[in-house]
Amino acid sequence: MVNIASPEKIARRRQDILDAAIDIFAEKGFHASGIADIATRLGIGHGTVYRYYKNKRDIFNEILSLLLSEMSTVVQQDPPNTNSLPEYQQQLERIADRLIAIFRERPQLARIAFYESYGVDAEISDAVNRIQELFAEFTAYYLQNGISKAFLRSEMDTAIAARLVTAMLMETVKHVALNDFSDKQIEPWRREIIRLMIGGLSR
Amino acid sequence: MVNIASPEKIARRRQDILDAAIDIFAEKGFHASGIADIATRLGIGHGTVYRYYKNKRDIFNEILSLLLSEMSTVVQQDPPNTNSLPEYQQQLERIADRLIAIFRERPQLARIAFYESYGVDAEISDAVNRIQELFAEFTAYYLQNGISKAFLRSEMDTAIAARLVTAMLMETVKHVALNDFSDKQIEPWRREIIRLMIGGLSR
Amino acid sequence: MVNIASPEKIARRRQDILDAAIDIFAEKGFHASGIADIATRLGIGHGTVYRYYKNKRDIFNEILSLLLSEMSTVVQQDPPNTNSLPEYQQQLERIADRLIAIFRERPQLARIAFYESYGVDAEISDAVNRIQELFAEFTAYYLQNGISKAFLRSEMDTAIAARLVTAMLMETVKHVALNDFSDKQIEPWRREIIRLMIGGLSR
Amino acid sequence: MVNIASPEKIARRRQDILDAAIDIFAEKGFHASGIADIATRLGIGHGTVYRYYKNKRDIFNEILSLLLSEMSTVVQQDPPNTNSLPEYQQQLERIADRLIAIFRERPQLARIAFYESYGVDAEISDAVNRIQELFAEFTAYYLQNGISKAFLRSEMDTAIAARLVTAMLMETVKHVALNDFSDKQIEPWRREIIRLMIGGLSR
DNA sequence: AATGAATGAGGATTCATTCAT
DNA sequence: CATGAATGAATCCTCATTCAT
């Protein structure tokens, strides 16, 4: 009559711990957050945390995986096959909106992604960069598609342009999520980033 | 009746310590860097460091001040009074070049600014943000000037556009500095950011 | 679902640490004693000490509390209601004996009370003084009782006399405890302090 | 043309340092006082202190020597040769007054003697005890004289009684000096200690 | 499985002392 | 002689991790 926890139960516990950890890490940062803080928030013993995660780093890595997967979904849902500038513009808006949605739902993820991940560890910084690079990579595909469909500038260095565009997108997400913007407050950012991406600053 | 170290000597020591600290912090991050690491790199006793800086945070703050002042200089040297798009474009290039120059000279500063500063402390994150905001603020003035001189889009939200532009600029600086790019490697970034800013992605 | 150490066990550990700390502090004084010394004496890790006491000061404070409570008991058990000089004399002997008993049982407490507490901290010096003052206060009550019952001098300044008497008592306790006196060695002190208190030095 | 400081000048410097040290030690205690505090108070370099005293302990030892010598003088000036109880009483008053005078002139010495000396070091505690013992020793002579002249109790254990009397005297000095008593405030203490010593507490 | 008791590596900081100038 | 720059021993305390119950 040994009692083995069902896989579902284990998964639920892991999730609870992850959720608590996201809150705690977002509040205090990786270094200042203790395993005990996470356990206390859940009302469990801190030793228990180690039954579900190898160590503190492991929890953080899982958070980053979550981030990576959520952000991947955003781009992967929207293949680079638009046929005109207006279509591409709509696609851009969709992607921005979905990305914003992720972080608005859990602003703590924004704090972690944009602040608390850095300075932990070279490996973790790399992981965060990889997320951005994934985004940039996809963006490059969109740009290449636009060029091949002739609605984007042909002499563009898509790799570089993709990074720049991604940087703007991330800046937008960061602002909107960290300042807990309402839809109305988001609107001008949404409009401005699209305009800038499409037509630049000039008249 | 001797022995009061000359102000120059004191300043030099402080500078040496700061330089070593920049290297160490860039390599290992704030938390993983010990005062002893800094002292050892200089071949001095770690107690000596405390004669020049109150504590570890104090050293880090000084690095941030340095960063802030260097970056301030970049924008403050170039007042927002260009009269045409080509002129503004040249100004943009100048600013980008000067900014890049700062970080190419000391790529460690880039690591500190873009990675290691975050996650230390709320106060320090704020300081870094303030640097970016300073930049965005100035950028907004450039944009307003361009609008008033009628060579930039009039319906632009300059505050937002400024932040987006700053984000691109920082992304560029980050890449160029952290990957230790040669002039030749920098060129396409330089070209692309200007194009994107001026005319966007579209044809 | 186990592992919450029973309150008894916790209390025992606290007590063990306190006992070891009393030994160590008595031997080397507060400043020269390290938490590591205490832990080592118990054969436990020094981190463990911090599970039971907030810090070194906290341990010391607890020792002082112990001292205060033990010494309080001595006087509080013996209300100031004797009716004649012989009765009072007997009471004095009882009190002296009980006080001596405390410190003979743990001569280290004498070292702490009479030596090692001073010079730690203004707060701690005050705490030690308060113990003596408590004693003097009670002594004043005894004296007032003696005056009202007309077996002690009526023109006495009881507050001052109480302090002087307390000083003699403490001197006795100090000697007896610190020199680890046998009953036989104590006897002349016992006799002399009583005589002096009752009839002074003169014939 | 070597310049050797005159012995007088050296002595004066030593004295200045000693005076400053007395102030500082009395204020903050031995451990909390830094050599730098002493030097700063004198407006000299802290390295200079080491030209006059071997180390911090050495300065403290000198303070204790000073104390010892001042207190020795008090008793040594007044030989144990009184012939009657009233004469002895007057002698007691003289001694108490002289002792009080020392500490009223420099209340810092009282703080050092009664508080800050303990807990520094076993050796220093011993030195302080030796001062008290010197006093007790002399007191024993007074008592023996009184017994031989038949104005004091013959069955007295003079060594013990001397210690008890000394304890009262020190308690008085401590109170009077540390509370910066005026002559008028001292009077009742003076009166009470004499009464207690002569005739005890009883009617 | 869950727990929390125990552990000790790790690091910042202070300050007495030395000694080159 | 005077100085203060340099030094590093010394010690407190935190907290991630392990593991007996």
Side-chain angles (χ1 to χ4, degrees):
Chain A
M1 213 60 104
V2 183
N3 225 320
I4 292 179
S6 67
E8 294 79 30
K9 201 160 178 187
I10 291 178
R12 219 177 310 136
R13 253 300 163 81
R14 275 183 71 90
Q15 189 59 48
D16 289 343
I17 291 170
L18 206 69
D19 289 340
I22 288 171
D23 289 349
I24 300 286
F25 284 142
E27 270 171 38
K28 330 209 313 192
F30 181 81
H31 278 107
S33 299
I35 290 290
D37 295 322
I38 296 168
T40 300
R41 164 146 327 195
L42 289 172
I44 64 176
H46 65 271
T48 307
V49 173
Y50 284 88
R51 302 197 65 76
Y52 293 88
Y53 290 94
K54 203 158 57 68
N55 53 36
K56 204 165 105 166
R57 276 287 310 267
D58 193 31
I59 303 176
F60 204 87
N61 282 334
E62 183 113 340
I63 295 174
L64 294 183
S65 293
L66 173 70
L67 254 171
L68 177 59
S69 94
E70 294 225 32
M71 291 177 74
S72 303
T73 310
V74 166
V75 277
Q76 281 165 353
Q77 282 176 352
D78 227 321
N81 56 7
T82 53
N83 293 309
S84 68
L85 193 54
E87 256 187 60
Y88 177 46
Q89 180 176 329
Q90 280 164 18
Q91 184 177 49
L92 278 173
E93 286 174 359
R94 269 200 311 276
I95 289 174
D97 287 347
R98 282 204 294 259
L99 204 54
I100 287 169
I102 291 172
F103 289 105
R104 285 182 84 195
E105 200 184 327
R106 303 203 79 179
Q108 300 97 322
L109 283 180
R111 280 215 69 79
I112 290 174
F114 298 116
Y115 287 100
E116 308 304 348
S117 291
Y118 297 103
V120 172
D121 203 274
E123 202 185 331
I124 282 179
S125 294
D126 287 352
V128 179
N129 283 340
R130 239 173 295 129
I131 298 179
Q132 283 219 20
E133 264 156 38
L134 167 93
F135 231 85
E137 221 174 289
F138 260 83
T139 304
Y141 291 140
Y142 293 124
L143 299 180
Q144 281 152 16
N145 171 66
I147 293 169
S148 73
K149 303 278 177 59
F151 61 81
L152 293 185
R153 286 191 277 113
S154 60
E155 28 54 82
M156 185 190 301
D157 182 322
T158 53
I160 294 172
R163 286 184 181 283
L164 295 172
V165 164
T166 302
M168 287 197 282
L169 193 52
M170 293 303 163
E171 179 70 13
T172 302
V173 170
K174 183 171 151 181
H175 258 269
V176 162
L178 293 181
N179 299 313
D180 201 20
F181 274 12
S182 66
D183 285 342
K184 225 184 118 193
Q185 287 171 302
I186 291 176
E187 195 43 39
W189 280 83
R190 222 169 151 273
R191 199 184 320 133
E192 203 58 55
I193 192 175
I194 297 295
R195 274 190 200 143
L196 226 165
M197 284 172 65
I198 302 300
L201 298 166
S202 66
R203 300 190 69 186
Chain B
M1 233 67 116
V2 247
N3 211 24
I4 313 115
S6 66
E8 294 81 31
K9 197 158 181 189
I10 291 177
R12 218 177 311 138
R13 248 311 160 82
R14 274 183 73 90
Q15 190 60 49
D16 288 345
I17 292 171
L18 205 70
D19 289 341
I22 288 171
D23 289 351
I24 300 285
F25 284 142
E27 271 171 38
K28 326 198 344 180
F30 181 82
H31 277 108
S33 300
I35 291 291
D37 296 322
I38 297 168
T40 301
R41 161 143 331 194
L42 289 171
I44 64 176
H46 66 271
T48 305
V49 174
Y50 285 90
R51 293 187 55 78
Y52 295 88
Y53 291 94
K54 205 157 58 65
N55 52 38
K56 208 165 93 165
R57 273 291 306 266
D58 194 30
I59 303 177
F60 204 85
N61 283 335
E62 182 118 339
I63 295 174
L64 293 183
S65 293
L66 173 71
L67 215 52
L68 177 58
S69 94
E70 296 225 30
M71 291 177 75
S72 302
T73 309
V74 166
V75 276
Q76 280 165 353
Q77 280 175 352
D78 228 321
N81 56 7
T82 53
N83 294 307
S84 69
L85 194 55
E87 256 185 59
Y88 177 47
Q89 181 176 328
Q90 281 164 17
Q91 184 177 49
L92 277 173
E93 286 174 359
R94 270 198 311 276
I95 288 174
D97 287 346
R98 281 203 293 259
L99 203 56
I100 287 169
I102 291 171
F103 289 106
R104 285 182 83 196
E105 201 185 325
R106 305 206 73 181
Q108 300 97 323
L109 282 181
R111 281 213 68 81
I112 290 174
F114 297 116
Y115 289 101
E116 308 304 348
S117 291
Y118 295 101
V120 171
D121 204 277
E123 201 186 333
I124 283 179
S125 293
D126 287 352
V128 179
N129 283 341
R130 239 173 295 131
I131 297 179
Q132 284 221 19
E133 264 157 40
L134 168 93
F135 234 84
E137 219 174 291
F138 261 83
T139 304
Y141 291 137
Y142 294 124
L143 300 180
Q144 282 152 15
N145 171 67
I147 293 170
S148 72
K149 303 278 175 60
F151 62 80
L152 294 184
R153 286 191 278 116
S154 61
E155 27 54 82
M156 185 190 301
D157 182 322
T158 52
I160 294 173
R163 285 183 181 284
L164 295 172
V165 164
T166 301
M168 285 197 283
L169 192 53
M170 293 302 162
E171 180 70 13
T172 302
V173 171
K174 185 171 151 180
H175 259 269
V176 162
L178 293 180
N179 298 313
D180 200 19
F181 274 12
S182 67
D183 285 342
K184 224 184 119 194
Q185 287 171 302
I186 290 175
E187 195 42 40
W189 279 84
R190 219 169 152 276
R191 198 185 319 133
E192 203 57 55
I193 191 174
I194 296 295
R195 274 192 201 143
L196 226 166
M197 283 172 66
I198 302 299
L201 298 165
S202 65
R203 301 189 69 185
Chain C
M1 233 65 117
V2 246
N3 213 24
I4 312 115
S6 66
E8 295 80 32
K9 198 159 181 186
I10 291 177
R12 217 177 312 138
R13 249 313 160 83
R14 274 183 73 89
Q15 190 60 50
D16 288 344
I17 292 170
L18 206 68
D19 289 340
I22 288 172
D23 289 350
I24 300 285
F25 284 143
E27 271 171 38
K28 326 199 339 182
F30 181 81
H31 277 108
S33 300
I35 290 289
D37 296 321
I38 297 169
T40 301
R41 160 143 332 192
L42 289 171
I44 64 176
H46 69 270
T48 306
V49 174
Y50 286 91
R51 292 187 57 76
Y52 294 87
Y53 291 94
K54 206 156 61 65
N55 52 37
K56 208 166 92 166
R57 273 291 306 267
D58 194 29
I59 304 178
F60 204 85
N61 283 335
E62 182 118 338
I63 295 174
L64 293 183
S65 294
L66 173 70
L67 215 50
L68 177 59
S69 94
E70 295 224 32
M71 290 178 76
S72 304
T73 309
V74 167
V75 277
Q76 281 165 351
Q77 280 175 354
D78 228 320
N81 56 8
T82 53
N83 293 309
S84 67
L85 194 54
E87 256 187 60
Y88 177 47
Q89 181 177 328
Q90 279 163 19
Q91 185 177 48
L92 279 173
E93 285 173 1
R94 270 200 309 277
I95 289 173
D97 287 346
R98 282 204 293 260
L99 203 56
I100 287 168
I102 291 171
F103 289 106
R104 283 182 84 196
E105 201 184 326
R106 304 205 75 181
Q108 301 97 323
L109 282 181
R111 281 214 68 81
I112 291 174
F114 298 115
Y115 289 100
E116 308 304 348
S117 290
Y118 295 101
V120 171
D121 203 274
E123 202 185 332
I124 283 179
S125 293
D126 287 352
V128 179
N129 283 340
R130 239 174 295 131
I131 298 180
Q132 284 220 19
E133 265 156 38
L134 168 93
F135 234 83
E137 222 174 288
F138 261 82
T139 303
Y141 291 138
Y142 293 124
L143 299 181
Q144 282 153 15
N145 172 66
I147 293 169
S148 71
K149 305 275 175 65
F151 61 80
L152 294 185
R153 286 191 278 116
S154 60
E155 27 55 83
M156 186 190 299
D157 183 321
T158 52
I160 295 173
R163 285 182 183 284
L164 295 172
V165 164
T166 301
M168 285 197 282
L169 193 52
M170 293 302 163
E171 179 69 14
T172 302
V173 170
K174 186 171 150 180
H175 258 270
V176 162
L178 293 181
N179 299 313
D180 202 19
F181 274 12
S182 67
D183 285 341
K184 224 183 120 194
Q185 287 171 301
I186 291 175
E187 194 44 36
W189 280 84
R190 222 169 150 275
R191 199 185 318 135
E192 204 56 57
I193 192 174
I194 296 294
R195 273 190 202 145
L196 226 166
M197 283 172 64
I198 302 297
L201 299 166
S202 66
R203 299 189 70 188
Chain D
M1 212 62 104
V2 182
N3 225 320
I4 292 181
S6 68
E8 294 79 31
K9 201 161 178 187
I10 290 178
R12 217 176 313 136
R13 252 301 163 82
R14 276 184 70 91
Q15 189 59 48
D16 288 344
I17 292 171
L18 206 69
D19 289 340
I22 288 171
D23 290 350
I24 300 286
F25 284 142
E27 269 171 40
K28 331 209 310 193
F30 182 82
H31 278 107
S33 300
I35 289 291
D37 295 322
I38 296 169
T40 301
R41 164 147 325 197
L42 289 172
I44 65 175
H46 65 271
T48 307
V49 173
Y50 284 88
R51 302 195 65 76
Y52 294 88
Y53 290 94
K54 203 157 59 68
N55 54 36
K56 204 166 105 168
R57 274 287 311 267
D58 194 30
I59 304 176
F60 205 86
N61 282 333
E62 183 115 338
I63 295 174
L64 293 183
S65 294
L66 173 70
L67 255 170
L68 178 59
S69 93
E70 295 225 31
M71 291 177 75
S72 302
T73 310
V74 166
V75 277
Q76 280 164 352
Q77 280 175 354
D78 228 320
N81 56 7
T82 53
N83 293 309
S84 68
L85 193 54
E87 257 186 59
Y88 178 47
Q89 181 177 331
Q90 279 163 19
Q91 185 177 47
L92 279 174
E93 284 174 0
R94 270 198 311 276
I95 289 173
D97 286 347
R98 282 202 293 259
L99 204 56
I100 288 168
I102 292 171
F103 289 106
R104 285 182 83 195
E105 201 183 327
R106 301 204 80 178
Q108 300 97 322
L109 282 182
R111 280 214 69 80
I112 291 174
F114 298 115
Y115 288 99
E116 308 304 348
S117 290
Y118 297 103
V120 172
D121 202 277
E123 201 185 333
I124 282 179
S125 294
D126 288 351
V128 179
N129 282 340
R130 240 173 293 130
I131 298 179
Q132 283 219 20
E133 266 157 37
L134 168 93
F135 232 84
E137 221 174 290
F138 260 84
T139 304
Y141 292 138
Y142 294 123
L143 299 180
Q144 282 152 15
N145 171 66
I147 292 169
S148 71
K149 303 278 176 62
F151 62 81
L152 294 185
R153 284 192 279 115
S154 60
E155 27 54 81
M156 185 190 298
D157 182 322
T158 52
I160 295 173
R163 285 182 182 287
L164 295 172
V165 165
T166 302
M168 286 197 281
L169 192 53
M170 294 301 163
E171 179 69 13
T172 302
V173 171
K174 186 172 150 180
H175 258 269
V176 162
L178 293 181
N179 298 313
D180 201 20
F181 273 11
S182 68
D183 285 340
K184 224 183 118 194
Q185 288 171 302
I186 291 176
E187 195 42 38
W189 279 84
R190 222 169 151 272
R191 199 183 320 135
E192 204 57 56
I193 191 174
I194 296 294
R195 274 190 201 145
L196 226 166
M197 283 171 66
I198 302 298
L201 298 166
S202 66
R203 300 188 71 186

